[in-house]
C-alpha cells in the first residue's frame, strides 16, 4: 500500500515560502515593538575600562542603551538538553552578553541600543564610545598547538591493537598533515528574535533548531519555570548547526524586553553572524597509514588538534568515524583541543566527519599512489564487512554497491593512473574518489496525531525544519499510515506547545520524529479497531492491530481488503468527532546489537587551467546508501546541496583572521566566498536503497550531513590527479597550486 513513501512530492511549505506567507523569526509582529541593535567590541582580549553612552542615549528615538553596567545578571546556567552524540557538556558555559567588563573575543557584544525604529538604533550604535585595557591575545591555533589537551568529556577511546609497532614494521607507509581553516555557516536568514513578556511569562520567536533547548536556557537565565516560556520557530531559513545552541541573542533580547516592559526585536547583521554563533574549528590533522604491498591496511594513526574558546570546551569528534570505515587491526585515533581567544566553535554540517574524512581519504589516495594501486581498488581491498571498532554486524551496508554504481556511471575504468596524464585541450583533467560515512542515529521523539471524523488529521511535534523538507516528509509518513491524502494532513512544528522532539541536527529528524508519527498513526488504528470491535457485527472481529491498515477512510484487513469498517462510521457510533494519540518513539534494544551507519561514494572530475591555477569541478557523481528513501525529490535536493557545500569547502571557504588583532577580516558575503551558480556544473545524485529493519520502524537513515562528507577529499584527490600537486590545506586556491 505505498501511497506516498518513495514517491516524489513537492514541498508542502513551498507555496508559503515563495509567496512570503511563511513567517520567519524577525517577521513576527507585536504591538509597541522596539528595536535593538548590537554594538560589537574591537579588541580580542582584555577589559572594558569605560563606556560612554551619553551621545547615543540622547539620539532621536533611543529608549535605552544596555551595557554590562546596567544589564541585569542572568541566572544559573542549565545543562544542554541535547547535543550530537559524544559532544555533550555537563554545564552550559555558553557565552552570555553584557554580563561583565571582560572581553573574550573580538567583535564581542559590548552594548545593545534599543530605539523606536531599527534605523534609529543602528545610527545610535555608532555613537557608543568604548575604551579598553587590552591584554595579549592568541587567536592562531598553530601557535598554541603544543598546548593541546584531551577534552574533559570522558575518557578518550582506547587504541585498537598495537598501532605504533604495526606502523614500525609496515612495508609501505604514508604520513602527512592536513589543515582546515575556520569556516562559517552563512545561512540565508540572519539570526533573530522577538521577545514579549506578560508578567513573568515570556513568549519568544527565535531562529532555532531546538525550541525546548531555548526554553530551558531562557527559563534558567531569568529564573522562571520552563512552563512560563513559550518558544516559536515555525520556519528557519537555513542553520546547519548555527542554531543548535541558544546563542547569546535570545537572552539578550528577552532581557531588554523585560527591563523596558515592551516587546523587542533583535536581528543580526551579516557581519554580526561571524561571532554571533559558532563555526567549524581550525583543524590540524596528522594521518599515518601503514599497509602490506597488497594494499591491505595494517595500521592507521589519526591525530587531531582543533581550537576551542578559552571559556568553554568544544569538540566535533573529528576522528570518530575513522574507527569505522576500513578494516584495519591496529588503530589510534585521538582528538585534542586548544584554547584560542575566539568565540566557541560549534557543529557545522557533517561536523567532525567531513573534516576527518578529508584527511583520511586524502591519505588513502596518497597510499594508493605509493602502492601504485587504483584508489577505488584500495578502498575495496580494505572494505569492512563488519564494524572494525565493535566487531558488530552492520544493520545494513550497501557501500560496495555505491562504489560499483558510481564507478560505472562515472566511467572510472577509463581513468589513466598517472597524474597529469589526462587533458581537455590545454586544461588538465583530474578524476578523484572518496568515501562518505555518517551515523544512522535515532533520538527519542514524541508526536501527537488528531484524526477527525471529517477525514482530516492534525500532526504536531516540536521539531524544526531548517530546510531539508521536514514539513513534507512528516506529512508523507502521516498520510501513508493514516491512509489519507497528503492535503488532508496538516503538520505543525517548531513550538514548545507541541510534544518534545530532539534538535534538528545529526541527520536524525526523519528517523526520530518520523518514527514517532508512525507510532502515533498505528496507535490510532489500534484504537479505532478496538472501537469497531465493540460491535458484534464487526468484520474485523478476529483481527489484531498489526493485521489492519487504514486507507481512504477505511480500516481494513491487510490480507483481505474486502473486510473493512468506515472510520467515520465507527467514530460517529462512539460519539467521537476526533481521536488523538501521542506517541514517543525511542531507539530499539535490538539496535544495540548492530553498527548503524549510512554510507556514500563520491566521484569527481576537475579541470584545471595550468597557467592560472583555476579549478572547476566539472562533474560530480554521488551515490548514497541511507536506508529507505521517503521523498526522492527532497532527498536528491539534500545530496546536491551537500555536494555544493563540499565544493565550497574544498575550493573557496575560509574565515580569515588577522592574528595581530584577533579580528575576522572577511565577515561578510563579499569576502567570505561560497559557491555561486557559475561554480556549479554537472551534479548527479543516486541512491542505493537498503532494506533495514533494525535502524527504526521506517528503515530510514540520515542523509543531510552525509551528502558533503567525502566531497572535499574527492576534489583534492582529483586536483592531485590533474596536476601532480598534493594540496593538504583547504581551500585549494590558485595560489597554492601555482
Amino acid at each position: 500500500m505505498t501511497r506516498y513513501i518513495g514517491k516524489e512530492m513537492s514541498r508542502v511549505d513551498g507555496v508559503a515560502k515563495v509567496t512570503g506567507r511563511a513567517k520567519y523569526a524577525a517577521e513576527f509582529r507585536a504591538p509597541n515593538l522596539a528595536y535593538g541593535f548590537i554594538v560589537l567590541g574591537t579588541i580580542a582580549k582584555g577589559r572594558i575600562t569605560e563606556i560612554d553612552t551619553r551621545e547615543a542615549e540622547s539620539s532621536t528615538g533611543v529608549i535605552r542603551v544596555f551595557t554590562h553596567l546596567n544589564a541585569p545578571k542572568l541566572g544559573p546556567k542549565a545543562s544542554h538538553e541535547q547535543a550530537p552524540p559524544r559532544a555533550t557538556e555537563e554545564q552550559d558555559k555558553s557565552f552570555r552578553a553584557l554580563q561583565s567588563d571582560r572581553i573574550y573575543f573580538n567583535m564581542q557584544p559590548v552594548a545593545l541600543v534599543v530605539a523606536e525604529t531599527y534605523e534609529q538604533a543602528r545610527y545610535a550604535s555608532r555613537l557608543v564610545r568604548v575604551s579598553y585595557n587590552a591584554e595579549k591575545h592568541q587567536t592562531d591555533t598553530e601557535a598554541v598547538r603544543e598546548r593541546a589537551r584531551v577534552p574533559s568529556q570522558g575518557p578518550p577511546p582506547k587504541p585498537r591493537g598495537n598501532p605504533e609497532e604495526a606502523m614500525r614494521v609496515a612495508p609501505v607507509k604514508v604520513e602527512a598533515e592536513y589543515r582546515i581553516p575556520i569556516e562559517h555557516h552563512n545561512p540565508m536568514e540572519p539570526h533573530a528574535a522577538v521577545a514579549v513578556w506578560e508578567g513573568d511569562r515570556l513568549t519568544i520567536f527565535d531562529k532555532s533548531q531546538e525550541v525546548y533547548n531555548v526554553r530551558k536556557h531562557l527559563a534558567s537565565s531569568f529564573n522562571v519555570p520552563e512552563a512560563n516560556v513559550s518558544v516559536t520557530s515555525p520556519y528557519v531559513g537555513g542553520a546547519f548547526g548555527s542554531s543548535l545552541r541558544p546563542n547569546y541573542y535570545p537572552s539578550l533580547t528577552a532581557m531588554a524586553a523585560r527591563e523596558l516592559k515592551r516587546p523587542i526585536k533583535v536581528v543580526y547583521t551579516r557581519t554580526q553572524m561571524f561571532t554571533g554563533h559558532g563555526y567549524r574549528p581550525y583543524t590540524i590533522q596528522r594521518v599515518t597509514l601503514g599497509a602490506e604491498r597488497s594494499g591491505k591496511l595494517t595500521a592507521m594513526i589519526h591525530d587531531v588538534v582543533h581550537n576551542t574558546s578559552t571559556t568553554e570546551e568544544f569538540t566535533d569528534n573529528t576522528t570518530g568515524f575513522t574507527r569505522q570505515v576500513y578494516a584495519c587491526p591496529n588503530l589510534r585515533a585521538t582528538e585534542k583541543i586548544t584554547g584560542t581567544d575566539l568565540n566557541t566553535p560549534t557543529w557545522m554540517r557533517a561536523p567532525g566527519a567531513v573534516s576527518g574524512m578529508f584527511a583520511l581519504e586524502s591519505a588513502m589516495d596518497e597510499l594508493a599512489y605509493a602502492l601504485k594501486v587504483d584508489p577505488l581498488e584500495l578502498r575495496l581491498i580494505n572494505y569492512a564487512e563488519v564494524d572494525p571498532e565493535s566487531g558488530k554486524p552492520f544493520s545494513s551496508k550497501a557501500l560496495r554497491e555505491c562504489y560499483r554504481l558510481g564507478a560505472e556511471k562515472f566511467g572510472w575504468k577509463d581513468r589513466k593512473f598517472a597524474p597529469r596524464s589526462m587533458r581537455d585541450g590545454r586544461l588538465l583533467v583530474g578524476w578523484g574518489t572518496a568515501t562518505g560515512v555518517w551515523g544512522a542515529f535515532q533520538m527519542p521523539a514524541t508526536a501527537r496525531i488528531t484524526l477527525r471524523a471529517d477525514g482530516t488529521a492534525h500532526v504536531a511535534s516540536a521539531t524544526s525544519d531548517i530546510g531539508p523538507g521536514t514539513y513534507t516528509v512528516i506529512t508523507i509518513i502521516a498520510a501513508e499510515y493514516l491512509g489519507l491524502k497528503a492535503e488532508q494532513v496538516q503538520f505543525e512544528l517548531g513550538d514548545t506547545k507541541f510534544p518534545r522532539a530532539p534538535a534538528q541536527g545529526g541527520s536524525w529528524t526523519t528517523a526520530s520524529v518520523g518514527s514517532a508519527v508512525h507510532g502515533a498513526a498505528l496507535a490510532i488504528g489500534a484504537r479505532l479497531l478496538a472501537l469497531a470491535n465493540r460491535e458484534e457485527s464487526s468484520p474485523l472481529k478476529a483481527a489484531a492491530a498489526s493485521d489492519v491498515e487504514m486507507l481512504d477512510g477505511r480500516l481494513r484487513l491487510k490480507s483481505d481488503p474486502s473486510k473493512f469498517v468506515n472510520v467515520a462510521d465507527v467514530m460517529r457510533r462512539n460519539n467521537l468527532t476526533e481521536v488523538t494519540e501521542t506517541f514517543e518513539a525511542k531507539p530499539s534494544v535490538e539496535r544495540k546489537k548492530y553498527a548503524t551507519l549510512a554510507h556514500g561514494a563520491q566521484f569527481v572530475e576537475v579541470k584545471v587551467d595550468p597557467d592560472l591555477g583555476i579549478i572547476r569541478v566539472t562533474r560530480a557523481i554521488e551515490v548514497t546508501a541511507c536506508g529507505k528513501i521517503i521523498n526522492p525529490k527532497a532527498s536528491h535536493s539534500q545530496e546536491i546541496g551537500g555536494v555544493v557545500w563540499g565544493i565550497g569547502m574544498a575550493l573557496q571557504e575560509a574565515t580569515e583572521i588577522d592574528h595581530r588583532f584577533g579580528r575576522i577580516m572577511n565577515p561578510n558575503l563579499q569576502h567570505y566566498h561560497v559557491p555561486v551558480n557559475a561554480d556549479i556544473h554537472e551534479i548527479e545524485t543516486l541512491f542505493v536503497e537498503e532494506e533495514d529493519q533494525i535502524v527504526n520502524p521506517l528503515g530510514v537513515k540520515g542523509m543531510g550531513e552525509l551528502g558533503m562528507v567525502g566531497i572535499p577529499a574527492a576534489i583534492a584527490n582529483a586536483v592531485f590527479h590533474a596536476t601532480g600537486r598534493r594540496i593538504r590545506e583547504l581551500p585549494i586556491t590558485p595560489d597554492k597550486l601555482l
Side-chain angles (χ1 to χ4, degrees), residues 60-119:
T60 305
V62 172
I63 302 159
R64 192 175 300 176
V65 179
F66 290 99
T67 69
H68 68 280
L69 298 170
N70 64 352
K73 295 291 167 268
L74 298 172
K77 299 177 179 183
S79 64
H80 278 306
E81 273 301 313
Q82 211 149 25
R86 292 173 294 213
T88 53
E89 289 156 293
E90 290 312 304
Q91 194 197 9
D92 174 8
K93 294 178 181 167
S94 59
F95 170 77
R96 312 229 170 168
L98 314 187
Q99 295 299 288
S100 77
D101 62 356
R102 287 283 333 163
I103 297 291
Y104 298 105
F105 54 90
N106 212 321
M107 292 166 57
Q108 174 182 319
V110 294
L112 178 72
V113 178
V114 181
E116 296 293 345
T117 70
Y118 173 79
E119 290 76 14

Side-chain angles (χ1 to χ4, degrees), residues 437-442 505-512 591 596-600 624-629 635 638-639 687 690 695-696 699-707 709:
V437 61
W438 188 257
F441 302 119
Q442 184 186 352
S507 298
W508 56 55
T509 301
T510 304
S512 309
R591 268 180 69 106
T596 51
L597 293 175
H599 295 90
T624 308
C626 57
K628 185 186 275 294
I629 303 302
S635 299
Q638 272 294 286
E639 298 310 86
F687 292 103
E690 299 165 311
V695 278
N696 50 63
V700 299
K701 300 177 180 180
M703 66 172 70
E705 328 267 354
L706 178 63
V709 171

Side-chain angles (χ1 to χ4, degrees), residues 15 24 64 80-81 206 253 270 287 310 324 329 341 359 370 380 426-427 431 437 439 477 522 558-559 602 609 627 657:
V15 172
Y24 294 83
R64 192 175 300 176
H80 278 306
E81 273 301 313
D206 177 30
T253 309
R270 186 57 64 178
V287 179
T310 56
Q324 295 183 281
D341 295 307
L380 290 166
R426 54 182 287 280
L427 299 177
W431 289 4
V437 61
I477 293 164
L522 296 189
K558 290 179 189 170
S559 59
Q602 290 78 32
D609 186 312
I657 296 169

Side-chain angles (χ1 to χ4, degrees), residues 84 107 180-191 207-209 236-247 249 268-282 307 314 316 343-352 354-355 438 466 504-506 645 648-649 652-656 664 666-675 704-705 708:
M107 292 166 57
I180 292 168
I182 284 174
E183 298 166 357
H184 269 83
H185 320 69
N186 275 286
M188 283 171 69
E189 179 200 16
H191 291 61
K207 172 176 176 154
S208 173
Q209 289 173 251
V236 176
F240 284 100
S242 65
S243 295
L244 274 172
R245 305 181 71 180
N247 296 318
Y249 69 89
Y268 282 169
T269 63
R270 186 57 64 178
T271 294
Q272 287 166 354
M273 290 176 69
F274 279 74
T275 55
H277 54 70
Y279 49 85
R280 200 186 301 282
Y282 186 99
N307 78 300
F314 172 83
D316 75 357
N343 64 314
T344 308
T346 194
W347 305 281
M348 184 168 172
R349 192 175 189 170
V354 70
S355 309
W438 188 257
I466 62 173
Q504 179 151 71
W645 199 330
M649 184 171 177
Q652 297 178 330
E653 291 194 45
T655 300
E656 307 285 357
I664 296 171
N666 59 336
N668 53 63
L669 286 177
Q670 181 185 3
H671 299 120
Y672 183 97
H673 289 179
V674 295
E705 328 267 354
M708 78 175 287

